[in-house]
RNA sequence: GCCCGGGUGGCGGAAUGGUAGACGCAGGGGACUUAAAAUCCCCUUUUCGCAAGGAAGUGCGGGUUCGAGUCCCGCCCCGGGCACCA
């Protein structure tokens, strides 16, 4: 801590451990001396430790926040003591639905409610003594921040990674508004319980699928929990296969393109299935089938994803179109069905069905009496078969139980030129054949879908986009060389609208004030209700705008435009905030080159596993785009990731208001102090584990602090009389001292906070029994404790006469020579059973030990009258005597 | 259904293949005190035994090993994720 500021650091004057005095005292000192400032351009090595920044909800800090935040704070303080220039920032992910809902209810601007919540969060976080660099605080709703969120969007736009499309949203006719997924409960609106339906609206979509391969590849290079990597992999869902073209009997309709991962089973295809939404369906439907097909398509359309998903567990449905396709490999005529078990959004929305070797096709075929053609003879490996299951099938109203055991891998049969090959050989051979004959090709497919990136809400970043006519866009293009090659367009009201981005100089595009936060009623955001902002004369060169109701300003660059009314989702601001912390005041760029070069990306990122996929995938996507633009130097944003576990209520279930088991950090701080809370959160168990809160357990760590206080401070508030500069520890305590320094350091490096605390408790228990205490030993311990309990550590460090701050001192080193003892404990086993132990000189040989064991009163009886066959000696630990 | 993670005293948890239960909570006994609080000391896996001491024991069943909470195989239960992705 800098003493040069002229701020004289004094402890409090309390005699007891009065945390209510001590904690605010040190907090105010930290506020005035700002010791946690991270310095850009330091010569020290850097360490960047990042917390997932919170959404500042009205409920205040949840106990889960300080859990992860304490862990990172301990590491931040520890690394500073180890000589690192530490960047440990905090900010607010402050756009979001609750603030908007509050605004709708109260009519007040969401910004004011948001700022109040931030104030409360800031107060609570300060009360916990976290060593954040407050000069780097970011707020995603601050125009100075979201200017750069919009700027990054423009980079995506320019690269052709942003487009518009009609996508279904939840629409509630009664409320005349679009609802978020979480606002829909059981097919009804959460507010009012009105029915909701699907409605297509114009949406912004980000082409994250263009990065699917890189997003999988990058996982190799990061130190993340395996489960999180696997979740992302599964979410991206890469699969290799082939695209196959089937001719249609009605040649006028062209070819039917399908995707399959099992081209080897092409000879086993006995029917085709299209998603009900497939564009070829109307053309393929024969007059005789038109009625049932239309009815089925209508029924599917009215189903939500959720319905379709829950139906999946039930029976398959589908109808025949009346048309046939031709199998390119054998000319077989196969019927074309539609069924909602085929999804339009994956592959080509059409499949070849091979009921003999695919469980889903098997079910469908048995339900509708479609033929089954075996093409795999089965193999010998454990994964060559599906599990044998008895399936209930209905054949014309009759219910039957059928055994199913489908070969998945093995030897090809009844497949012409593939016969005799293994399935994996056949996959290669058939793709070669398809390519040579122009009937298909190798293809990789992903489950990952493009990212729906717009919301019909007020409280989000506005899109820096103005919709203009084709002619105006062409005019703008002459002065705006950066416009994408393929314009983003949308057909609306009979005309084609062109998306014209704001020039970067015109950012940020701010939210206009609105009369009401209620949605527009048409499905558009409340922004659609602000004509002066919405309908404008727009200067394509400068980005300036005047309301369209006014006269058109002079000059060629002025165009008639309508602003985009969608706003960005909450993910946007959190996609890049870790970069803004590097250089938060920079008005020229999102982060300066020097800051990016020095700080790079976080060395450690700690946050909940609930963000394993979405936030962490979206942020990686944006980062890779920035990397490809040369805007950031690394390809991956988060080198090392750690998930803290959830803290359950004392009843062992998730904390919730309705259960009344919520722990409020404010209450704990009032009753025990922030230092005790921090220590207890870390002592509860491994950071990554899910663990219940035990209100009684907190007493233990509180007693531990008080115990060490008493060792240092007497009842009069002065130094304890047992403390002196001339005292020395007993040999055992001296050894324990060095063991403790070693273990605490190792445990901190490995993020095992619970065992570090336990070791410190063992050490203090031993110090308590010492006849005299060297002052240096207590100083050293106060320093070791300071990352965990910073106010307490500083208070005692200062009272013990430490110079400066406990945090400014170099981290204690252990002396390996002090760890070696001259005796060791050897455990004696007879035939593997523990029978006794002995303290022996370190130099003892195996032969010495055997002799000691044979004379040992507890061991000898088990050896009596038996012959020693063999001994196993684990050096310094154990001697196992095998007798018979 | 598939993919992960986990099951250890009354409770939270600790144990590079080497003394299972560190540390803490709770409980019992004692010291100090007029008393209480605070603090300190002792006990506290189960079971047999007056004791000394013995036996069993890390979800269940097998296995590898001189030795398994830890490694392998097969189950059961709990938690999380995905879920007709062809």
């Amino acid at each position: 801590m800098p003493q040069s500021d002229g701020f004289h650091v004094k402890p409090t004057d309390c005699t007891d451990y009065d945390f209510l005095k001590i904690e605010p005292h040190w907090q105010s000192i930290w506020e005035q001396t700002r010791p946690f400032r991270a310095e850009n351009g330091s010569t020290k090595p850097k360490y960047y430790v990042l917390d997932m920044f919170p959404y500042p909800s009205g409920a205040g800090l949840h106990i889960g926040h300080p859990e992860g935040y304490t862990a990172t704070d301990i590491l931040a303080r520890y690394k500073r003591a180890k000589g690192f220039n530490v960047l440990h920032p905090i900010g607010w992910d402050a756009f979001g639905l609750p603030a908007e809902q509050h605004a709708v209810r109260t009519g007040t601007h969401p910004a004011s409610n948001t700022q109040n919540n931030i104030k409360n969060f800031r107060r609570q976080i300060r009360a916990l003594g976290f060593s954040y660099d407050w000069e780097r605080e970011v707020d995603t709703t601050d125009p100075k921040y979201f200017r750069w969120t919009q700027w990054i969007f423009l980079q995506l736009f320019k690269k052709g990674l942003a487009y518009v499309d009609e996508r279904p949203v939840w629409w509630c006719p009664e409320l005349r508004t679009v609802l978020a997924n979480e606002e829909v409960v059981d097919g009804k609106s959460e507010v009012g319980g009105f029915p909701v339906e699907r409605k297509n609206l114009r949406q912004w979509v980000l082409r994250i699928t263009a990065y699917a391969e890189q997003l999988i590849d990058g996982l190799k290079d990061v130190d993340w929990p395996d489960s999180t990597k696997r979740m992302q992999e599964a979410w991206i869902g890469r699969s290799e296969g082939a695209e196959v073209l089937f001719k249609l009997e009605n040649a006028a309709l062209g070819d039917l393109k399908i995707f399959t991962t099992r081209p080897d089973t092409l000879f086993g295809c006995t029917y085709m299935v299209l998603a009900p939404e497939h564009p070829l369906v109307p053309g393929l439907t024969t007059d005789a089938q038109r009625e049932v097909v239309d009815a089925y398509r209508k029924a599917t359309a009215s189903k939500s994803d959720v319905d379709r998903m829950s139906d999946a567990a039930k029976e398959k449905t589908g109808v025949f179109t009346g048309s046939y396709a031709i199998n390119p490999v054998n000319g077989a005529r196969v019927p074309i069905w539609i069924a909602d078990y085929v999804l339009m959004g994956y592959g080509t929305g059409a499949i070849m069905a091979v009921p003999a070797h695919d469980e889903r096709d098997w079910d469908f075929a048995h339900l509708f009496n479609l033929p089954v053609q075996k093409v795999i003879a089965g193999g010998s490996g454990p994964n060559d078969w599906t599990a044998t299951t008895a399936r209930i099938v209905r054949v014309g109203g009759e219910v039957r139980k059928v055994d199913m055991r489908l070969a998945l891998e093995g030897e090809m049969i009844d497949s012409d030129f593939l016969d005799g090959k293994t399935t994996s050989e056949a996959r290669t051979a058939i793709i070669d054949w398809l390519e040579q004959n122009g009937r298909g090709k190798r293809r990789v497919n992903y489950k990952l879908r493009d990212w729906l990136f717009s919301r019909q809400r007020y409280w989000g970043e506005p899109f820096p986009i103005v919709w203009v006519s084709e002619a105006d866009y062409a005019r703008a293009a002459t002065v705006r060389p950066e416009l994408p090659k393929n314009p983003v367009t949308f057909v609306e009201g009979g005309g084609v609208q062109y998306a014209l981005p704001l020039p970067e100089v015109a950012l940020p595009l701010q939210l206009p004030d609105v009369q009401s936060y209620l949605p527009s009623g048409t499905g558009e955001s409340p922004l659609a209700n602000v004509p002066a902002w919405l309908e404008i004369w727009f200067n394509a060169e400068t980005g300036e705008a005047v309301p369209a109701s006014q006269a058109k300003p002079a000059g060629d660059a002025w165009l008639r435009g309508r602003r985009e009314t969608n706003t960005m989702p909450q993910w946007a601001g959190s996609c890049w905030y870790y970069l803004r912390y590097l250089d938060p005041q920079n008005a020229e760029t999102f982060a300066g080159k020097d800051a990016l070069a020095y700080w790079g990306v976080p060395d450690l990122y700690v946050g909940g596993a609930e963000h394993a996929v979405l936030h962490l995938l979206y942020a990686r996507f944006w980062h890779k785009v920035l990397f490809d633009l040369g805007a950031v130097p690394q390809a991956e944003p988060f080198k090392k990731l750690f998930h803290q576990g959830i803290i359950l209520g004392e009843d062992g279930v998730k904390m919730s208001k309705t259960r009344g088991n919520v722990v409020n950090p404010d209450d704990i701080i009032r009753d025990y102090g922030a230092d005790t809370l921090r220590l207890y959160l870390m002592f509860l168990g491994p950071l990554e584990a899910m663990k219940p809160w035990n209100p009684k357990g907190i007493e233990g760590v509180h007693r531990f602090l008080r115990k060490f206080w008493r060792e240092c401070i007497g009842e009069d508030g002065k130094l304890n009389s047992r403390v002196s500069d001339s005292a020395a520890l007993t040999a055992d305590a001296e050894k324990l001292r060095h063991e403790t320094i070693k273990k605490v350091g190792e445990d901190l490096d490995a993020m095992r906070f619970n065992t570090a605390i336990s070791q410190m408790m063992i050490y203090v228990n031993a110090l308590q029994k010492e006849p005299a205490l060297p002052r240096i030993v207590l100083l050293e311990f106060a320093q070791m404790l300071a990352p965990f309990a910073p106010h307490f550590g500083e208070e005692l460090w200062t009272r013990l006469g430490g110079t400066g701050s406990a945090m400014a001192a170099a981290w204690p080193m252990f002396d390996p020579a002090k760890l070696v003892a001259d005796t060791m404990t050897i455990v004696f086993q007879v035939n593997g059973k523990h029978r006794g132990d002995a303290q022996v000189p370190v130099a003892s040989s195996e032969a010495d030990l055997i002799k000691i064991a044979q004379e040992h009163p507890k061991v000898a009886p088990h050896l009596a009258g038996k012959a020693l066959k063999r001994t196993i000696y684990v050096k310094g630990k154990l001697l196992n005597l095998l007798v018979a």
Side-chain angles (χ1 to χ4, degrees):
Chain A
M1 183 179 305
Q3 302 300 294
S4 51
D5 300 16
F7 192 87
H8 187 47
V9 180
K10 278 197 290 199
T12 67
D13 56 6
C14 51
T15 51
D16 288 337
Y17 170 39
D18 185 352
F19 51 84
L20 290 177
K21 255 189 174 171
I22 292 168
E23 292 179 355
H25 173 77
W26 289 100
Q27 283 156 21
S28 82
I29 286 176
W30 295 332
E31 238 165 89
Q32 291 171 67
T33 62
R34 298 258 171 186
F36 312 122
R37 249 185 323 225
E39 215 185 311
N40 278 20
S42 158
T43 52
K44 287 186 187 175
K46 66 96 184 185
Y47 185 75
Y48 180 6
V49 52
L50 179 68
D51 291 305
M52 286 186 185
F53 67 165
Y55 172 72
S57 77
L61 220 54
H62 181 270
I63 200 76
H65 290 117
E67 186 196 13
Y69 295 175
T70 299
T72 53
D73 194 59
I74 290 168
L75 291 172
R77 290 168 179 273
Y78 170 63
K79 290 288 184 179
R80 284 190 198 103
K82 298 274 269 184
F84 287 85
N85 182 27
V86 171
L87 175 55
H88 187 40
I90 189 74
W92 319 106
D93 187 15
F95 277 124
L97 200 49
E100 177 145 350
Q101 287 167 327
H102 184 266
V104 169
R105 278 198 309 276
T106 63
T108 55
H109 198 288
S112 85
N113 181 240
T114 299
Q115 290 310 312
N116 284 339
N117 290 347
I118 287 177
K119 232 177 260 171
N120 187 41
F121 263 65
R122 209 185 272 130
R123 174 191 65 76
Q124 289 187 297
I125 284 177
R126 280 178 198 261
L128 281 153
F130 295 136
S131 63
Y132 291 123
D133 180 352
W134 288 99
E135 288 166 36
R136 293 174 185 258
E137 189 178 344
V138 301
D139 171 354
T140 56
T141 66
D142 181 346
K144 291 204 281 296
Y145 179 91
F146 71 66
R147 168 185 181 173
W148 300 108
T149 311
Q150 291 172 332
W151 179 85
I152 296 171
F153 171 79
L154 288 183
Q155 309 315 307
L156 287 152
F157 181 87
K158 279 192 276 185
K159 282 196 76 174
L161 293 168
Y163 61 98
V164 290
D165 193 17
E166 288 225 324
R167 291 291 172 93
V169 291
W170 290 113
W171 168 254
C172 178
E174 196 70 31
L175 297 170
R176 296 174 62 72
T177 182
V178 168
L179 299 175
N181 279 330
E182 57 269 31
E183 294 174 299
V184 178
V185 180
D186 294 333
K188 300 235 165 71
S189 63
E190 188 189 19
V191 178
F194 303 114
V196 297
E197 55 192 52
R198 299 302 263 174
K199 177 174 175 166
N200 277 327
L201 282 183
R202 189 197 66 217
Q203 306 274 356
W204 281 93
V205 186
L206 298 185
R207 219 179 291 279
I208 190 172
T209 50
Y211 278 75
E213 199 65 48
Q214 293 185 53
L215 287 167
I216 289 179
D217 278 355
L219 290 172
K220 287 198 305 276
D221 309 321
V222 294
D223 178 8
W224 284 22
D226 277 343
S227 58
T228 304
K229 286 192 189 184
R230 266 191 281 263
M231 260 191 243
Q232 291 217 348
E233 254 169 51
W235 189 264
I236 297 166
R238 183 183 199 277
S239 56
E240 288 180 17
E243 229 167 60
V244 184
L245 293 173
F246 279 65
K247 283 205 166 61
L248 295 168
E249 268 191 340
N250 178 355
L253 292 170
D255 286 334
L256 175 60
K257 188 193 279 182
I258 61 106
F259 172 73
T260 177
T261 56
R262 297 303 303 269
D264 47 321
T265 62
L266 188 50
F267 286 91
C269 167
T270 53
Y271 63 101
M272 316 293 291
V273 187
L274 307 194
E277 305 90 338
H278 196 286
L280 279 175
V281 172
L284 286 169
T285 306
T286 59
D287 289 341
Q289 293 299 103
R290 185 145 329 262
E291 205 175 313
V292 285
V293 167
D294 286 352
Y296 187 80
R297 297 227 301 164
K298 219 176 143 200
T300 309
S302 70
K303 272 192 214 170
S304 70
D305 291 354
V306 181
D307 291 341
R308 233 168 124 162
M309 214 151 64
S310 64
D311 284 357
K314 298 176 201 145
E315 211 163 66
K316 289 193 169 40
T317 57
V319 293
F320 179 44
T321 61
S323 294
Y324 292 83
I326 306 301
N327 189 333
V329 77
N330 61 3
R333 185 171 179 259
V334 287
I336 303 171
W337 287 63
I338 64 171
D340 67 1
Y341 83 90
V342 173
L343 309 172
M344 195 57 226
Y346 182 80
T348 61
I351 62 154
M352 66 173 198
V354 184
H357 306 290
D358 181 282
E359 215 173 300
R360 297 153 301 181
D361 298 341
W362 188 94
D363 285 345
F364 193 79
H366 280 74
L367 199 55
F368 295 104
N369 269 319
L370 291 158
V372 176
Q373 171 65 51
K374 265 187 74 119
V375 290
I376 304 171
S380 51
N383 298 319
D384 291 352
W385 300 88
T386 60
T388 307
T389 46
R391 296 235 152 184
I392 307 294
V393 297
R394 228 178 288 154
V395 182
E398 184 200 343
V399 176
R400 271 197 232 155
K401 202 171 152 194
V402 183
D403 279 338
M404 178 186 67
R405 187 161 180 254
L406 306 178
L408 298 178
E409 305 292 345
E411 189 191 323
M412 303 305 302
I413 51 167
D414 293 331
S415 295
D416 195 341
F417 62 93
L418 299 178
D419 283 354
K421 291 189 194 301
T422 65
T423 35
S424 91
E425 289 162 357
R427 279 192 278 275
T428 312
I430 190 79
I431 292 173
D432 289 347
W433 186 93
L434 288 166
E435 285 181 345
Q436 279 156 25
N437 291 276
R439 300 315 298 168
K441 58 180 185 207
R442 204 171 301 277
R443 176 165 158 186
V444 174
N445 233 315
Y446 302 92
K447 281 195 228 177
L448 184 69
R449 309 291 159 87
D450 277 341
W451 174 16
L452 198 149
F453 189 69
S454 52
R455 303 290 183 268
Q456 294 67 50
R457 299 285 173 178
Y458 175 79
W459 194 227
E461 299 88 346
F463 282 84
I465 294 286
V466 176
W467 292 98
V468 298
S469 69
E470 180 173 10
D472 280 350
Y473 187 87
R475 278 170 61 206
T478 62
V479 293
R480 295 280 298 280
E482 85 278 15
L483 293 183
K485 283 188 280 303
N486 301 312
V488 171
T489 61
F490 190 75
V491 180
E492 201 164 46
V496 182
Q497 302 291 309
Y498 281 66
L500 181 61
L502 263 62
E504 289 174 14
V505 291
L507 299 180
L509 172 63
Q510 303 215 30
L511 286 164
D513 284 329
V514 294
Q515 292 297 308
S516 158
Y517 301 97
L518 282 167
S520 65
T522 62
E524 286 188 283
S525 85
L527 297 178
N529 292 339
V530 194
W533 179 85
L534 184 69
E535 302 288 351
I536 50 168
W537 295 111
F538 176 67
N539 186 311
E541 260 177 289
T542 64
E544 288 167 281
V546 297
S549 55
Q550 296 177 18
K552 177 183 177 184
D556 281 349
W558 288 91
L559 318 170
R560 182 65 170 80
R562 185 180 198 265
R563 288 198 196 274
E564 173 59 63
T565 59
N566 282 307
T567 54
M568 298 185 198
Q570 203 182 348
W571 305 113
S574 61
C575 262
W576 71 282
Y577 73 112
Y578 59 94
L579 294 171
R580 189 59 179 170
Y581 285 138
L582 308 186
D583 198 6
Q585 313 303 336
N586 198 321
E588 307 301 318
T589 173
F590 67 96
K593 283 264 178 282
D594 290 347
L596 283 163
Y598 176 69
W599 291 113
V601 292
D603 296 280
L604 174 67
Y605 191 26
V606 176
E610 65 272 22
H611 296 111
V613 177
L614 299 181
H615 160 61
L616 288 165
L617 195 67
Y618 294 153
R620 291 181 63 220
F621 166 47
W622 277 34
H623 194 90
K624 286 182 180 301
V625 173
L626 290 173
F627 176 70
D628 287 349
L629 286 167
V632 296
Q634 301 83 1
E636 282 289 332
F638 310 119
K639 272 192 266 188
K640 183 179 163 107
L641 174 72
F642 196 95
H643 298 305
Q644 84 274 15
I646 296 170
I647 297 181
L648 305 170
E650 54 178 301
D651 47 2
V653 277
K654 212 172 159 180
M655 286 191 193
S656 71
K657 259 189 238 160
T658 47
R659 287 198 75 98
N661 59 355
V662 176
V663 175
N664 182 345
D666 287 344
D667 297 342
I668 309 295
I669 292 171
R670 187 194 58 223
D671 295 343
Y672 296 95
D675 285 331
T676 296
L677 174 57
R678 292 169 56 118
L679 215 43
Y680 185 54
L681 283 167
M682 295 300 99
F683 187 63
L684 223 40
L687 184 61
E688 67 274 21
M690 183 187 281
K691 52 221 171 237
W693 178 263
N694 175 0
K696 290 206 174 121
I698 197 163
E699 292 281 356
V701 288
H702 190 63
R703 281 201 275 255
F704 161 65
L705 289 181
R706 295 238 305 266
K707 192 183 287 185
F708 184 63
W709 177 277
R710 282 196 311 273
E711 296 311 311
C712 301
I713 307 296
E715 278 171 32
D716 55 1
K718 303 218 170 66
L719 275 198
N720 189 323
S721 55
R722 270 167 64 233
V723 180
S724 80
D725 285 338
S726 55
L729 289 180
T730 60
D732 283 351
E734 182 65 14
K735 183 171 174 236
L736 183 59
R737 174 186 168 201
H738 289 270
E739 283 170 353
T740 302
I741 297 170
K742 181 166 187 274
K743 175 141 178 77
V744 169
E746 285 169 355
D747 281 352
L748 285 180
D749 288 332
M751 298 179 76
R752 290 186 301 246
F753 304 97
N754 55 331
T755 50
I757 294 168
S758 144
Q759 179 67 32
M760 291 194 286
M761 287 174 165
I762 292 168
Y763 182 45
V764 169
N765 287 343
L767 288 183
Q768 201 175 23
K769 294 179 180 69
E770 286 292 290
L773 295 168
R775 196 172 60 98
I776 180 132
V777 163
L778 299 183
L779 270 171
E780 173 190 273
F781 187 75
Q783 193 200 345
M784 255 195 286
L785 198 50
F788 298 82
H791 318 85
F792 183 88
E794 289 290 6
E795 176 78 13
L796 286 182
W797 170 272
T798 317
R799 285 186 182 226
L800 287 161
T803 31
S805 157
M807 284 174 302
W811 191 252
M813 307 262 280
F814 65 91
D815 179 356
K818 294 283 177 61
L819 298 176
V820 295
D822 41 5
T823 66
M824 55 185 185
T825 306
I826 295 296
V827 168
F828 296 121
Q829 294 184 342
V830 179
N831 288 343
K833 275 192 202 270
H834 175 221
R835 294 299 179 185
D837 54 48
Q839 283 286 318
V840 299
V842 168
S844 309
S845 68
E846 185 173 349
D848 297 339
L849 292 171
I850 292 169
K851 193 153 177 285
I852 294 168
Q854 283 166 337
E855 288 162 6
H856 194 285
K858 288 191 178 173
V859 181
H862 297 280
L863 300 173
K866 289 173 181 154
L868 189 58
K869 293 277 188 204
R870 189 182 155 194
T871 58
I872 291 140
Y873 178 49
V874 182
K875 202 162 186 319
K877 286 208 162 154
L878 169 145
L879 180 72
N880 191 4
L881 302 145
L882 303 182
V883 296

